[in-house]
Structures are given as structure tokens and as C-alpha cells.
Amino acid sequence: MKVLSDGPKVKWSRFLSEPLLHFIVVGVVLFGVFRLITPAPELATADREKIALTKDDVRQLAVTWLAQGRSAPTPDELRTLMDQKVTEEILFREAVSLGLDRDDEIIKRRLAQKMDFLAADLAKLEEPNNAQLEEWYAKRSDRFALSPHLSFRHLYFSFDKHGAAAREAADAALPSVAGKPADSPEVGSVADPFMFRNFYGDATPEQMAKEFGPDFAKALFTLKPGSWQGPVQSGYGWHLIWVDSIEPGRVPAFEEIAPAVKSAWLDERYAEVKRNALKEMRSRYVVSLPTVTADDLQGLELQAGAGAQIELSAQ
């Protein structure tokens, strides 16, 4: 009897039922899934951001460590510092990638401060020569004018003790001290005790205005040395004054204050260069500011007399 051969469908069914085939298919699927979730080592390394510390970075870490009053870091401490630096860099990059740097006032201020320092670095100036400084000083010498100053002693007549008659008491004491040396023991006995000093050396109008009042300071510098004069009123009472010496205000010669002139020149030029740098940066932006009225600031304490409209400058 003739045996019929298996048809194509039967052969294909038998092939698909082979356990070896099942094993191969499952292995291919698992390998594919594994490769999808786990990139090859060389690809993973290529896709990752690089963080590379330089020798200068490590040196700066050591400098910061030493600046805190510590002894030189050990190798373990240095490795810890480097690890902390890497961690800080990773956290920074991850924060930026998540947008955490946006709309953060502290970060904005810090970055603006860094940009300000960068503009300052760009404003480094060449050293001026004497001719430049002398020409600059000639136009601004009044800024360096020295205030007048004097040395004086005084006799005090108190409002607390004499009331409205304090000036009369000072007037009455003037003849008894006239012609007597300023440091004579009997001179001090005619006055009241003063809470501060009885002698002031090398005093300026600004100092005396703060301590005794502007009218006293103004009158004080009109007196002549070598005799008791007054009385002169202060916020405390009345005073008889003996001026030991007085030196009027003057503009010093350039040679006297050349270092101060150079310092002021550098400060002015530095500010000018920095101002121009910021102006150039600002020119790349269009600034739009609102007009703010007092109504917009309700609940806030405004200075008395503030206008109804507050203009905000874009400059």
C-alpha cells in the first residue's frame, strides 16, 4: 500500500511545535527587551554628560580648605572634597535640566552679581602716568580740599544750672579770666563741669557741628588764637573759648597727595568703563516697564507728598 507524504500544513504545524524554536524566540525577545532598557556600555558612556575636575579645580578646593584655618588636607579628605564637588555639579546640572533655576530671585541675584564681577574684570585699566594724573587733578582739586582745623579749650556754663541766665553767667566770667593762661587752675573754677572734653585738638568744622551744633562750629572758626573769647552758644549751653591754634582750609599740592589722586583716578575710570560695559549690554535688550500709581501700592507706607503716579525708569 502506498504511504501518502505529509502535506505542507502538517509540516509547518510540526515545525512550530518544536520546543527548540520556542526557546530561541523567547531568548530573542528577552535580549531585545534587555537592550532597550540597558544600552551597551559604550553607548551609555557616550550619551552621559562628562564631569572632569582639573588640577586647578583640586588646587582651588585645597585653597578653600586652608582658608578656613585648617591644616593641609589628607588624601582621604581631598578625595572627599572632590566627591563633594562632583556631587554639587551633578545636582546643579540636574536642577537646571528640571528648570529649577527659573523664576528664582536668589539665583537671579547671584548670577547678576557674577555678571557684575565679570564686567569689573573687563574693566581692568592701565596704570596712569604722572602727566595724566596732574591734568586730571587740576580739574578736580576742589574734591581734595583739606578742611580747616583747630585746637581749642572751653569753659562751660550750663542751662541746667543757670537756666535762661547761662549767657549772663558766661559774660560775667569773661573779665575774670581775661589775660590769664588757658591752663591756669583758677580759670577752670569759674565754669561748670562739662560732660565731655574741655580740650579738643585738631578739630574740623564737621566734627564740631556733630558734637556742638552747626552754629557753634561756624562761630568757632571765626575766633582768633591766644585769648579767651565768647560767649558762644551750643546745644548744651554757653562757652568761653580759647583757641590754641588754627589752620585754614586749603587745596594741597599734587605731590602731597599723589597716591590718593591715583586711587581716585582709577576709581573714576573703573566706574566709567564698567558703566559703558553695562550700557552696551543693556542696548541688546528692549525694556518695557509699567506705570505704577499709588492705588497699585495700597497697603504700603509711602512717603508723605509722594506723587499720584510713580514712574519706573528703564535706565
Side-chain angles (χ1 to χ4, degrees):
M1 185 175 78
K2 186 178 181 180
V3 179
L4 297 175
S5 62
D6 295 334
K9 289 184 178 180
V10 175
K11 291 181 179 180
W12 183 248
S13 176
R14 190 177 297 167
F15 175 74
L16 292 177
S17 65
E18 284 291 332
L20 180 60
L21 177 62
H22 296 170
F23 178 81
I24 293 172
V25 170
V26 171
V28 169
V29 171
L30 290 175
F31 180 76
V33 172
F34 176 79
R35 289 301 302 270
L36 283 175
I37 64 175
T38 308
E42 63 276 7
L43 293 176
T45 302
D47 291 342
R48 289 162 60 186
E49 291 191 66
K50 293 183 179 179
I51 297 176
L53 295 188
T54 66
K55 290 183 179 180
D56 285 339
D57 293 329
V58 177
R59 193 177 298 113
Q60 185 58 46
L61 291 173
V63 168
T64 304
W65 173 277
L66 293 171
Q68 297 171 355
R70 301 170 176 174
S71 56
T74 66
D76 285 342
E77 288 169 337
L78 203 53
R79 276 191 293 272
T80 299
L81 291 174
M82 288 188 285
D83 183 62
Q84 290 172 349
K85 179 70 174 176
V86 170
T87 301
E88 180 184 75
E89 182 64 22
I90 291 171
L91 292 174
F92 166 73
R93 294 188 189 186
E94 291 300 311
V96 170
S97 69
L98 293 174
L100 300 183
D101 58 319
R102 300 178 200 134
D103 301 321
D104 189 307
E105 290 301 319
I106 295 176
I107 292 176
K108 284 182 180 179
R109 290 195 194 106
R110 182 62 177 156
L111 292 178
Q113 185 184 50
K114 283 196 168 187
M115 199 63 203
D116 191 50
F117 290 154
L118 178 60
D121 288 340
L122 296 175
K124 290 180 180 178
L125 305 171
E126 294 182 3
E127 288 286 303
N129 57 44
N130 267 6
Q132 288 176 297
L133 292 177
E134 288 181 15
E135 181 182 359
W136 183 87
Y137 177 66
K139 297 176 182 177
R140 300 166 180 80
S141 58
D142 56 313
R143 287 170 46 179
F144 298 85
L146 301 176
S147 296
H149 52 275
L150 54 70
S151 297
F152 74 98
R153 61 195 73 231
H154 67 106
L155 299 173
Y156 171 60
F157 298 87
S158 167
F159 286 135
D160 291 338
K161 181 176 180 179
H162 302 282
R167 175 165 187 167
E168 286 75 8
D171 281 327
L174 183 59
S176 65
V177 298
K180 293 182 179 178
D183 55 356
S184 172
E186 58 210 78
V187 166
S189 63
V190 303
D192 303 324
F194 187 60
M195 65 185 77
F196 301 122
R197 292 180 286 166
N198 293 320
F199 174 78
Y200 289 83
D202 207 27
T204 66
E206 294 77 19
Q207 293 169 341
M208 293 301 96
K210 288 180 181 178
E211 191 152 338
F212 291 95
D215 291 338
F216 178 90
K218 185 177 180 180
L220 182 63
F221 280 83
T222 65
L223 304 178
K224 295 182 179 180
S227 65
W228 287 107
Q229 299 165 76
V232 177
Q233 186 178 13
S234 75
Y236 306 107
W238 289 85
H239 308 256
L240 297 179
I241 310 292
W242 176 291
V243 175
D244 286 346
S245 62
I246 185 169
E247 185 172 332
R250 66 185 181 89
V251 175
F254 170 77
E255 292 74 18
E256 294 181 64
I257 54 169
V261 173
K262 179 181 177 180
S263 177
W265 185 93
L266 288 171
D267 287 344
E268 185 177 285
R269 289 285 296 132
Y270 168 85
E272 180 184 354
V273 172
K274 184 176 174 182
R275 185 169 55 250
N276 289 338
L278 293 175
K279 183 178 179 181
E280 193 278 329
M281 283 186 255
R282 178 173 281 273
S283 69
R284 299 198 293 268
Y285 297 84
V286 176
V287 180
S288 176
L289 296 177
T291 298
V292 180
T293 67
D295 291 338
D296 298 318
L297 303 177
Q298 282 186 349
L300 302 178
E301 293 185 5
L302 298 179
Q303 292 183 355
Q309 183 167 295
I310 303 169
E311 296 290 346
L312 298 181
S313 172
Q315 301 302 318

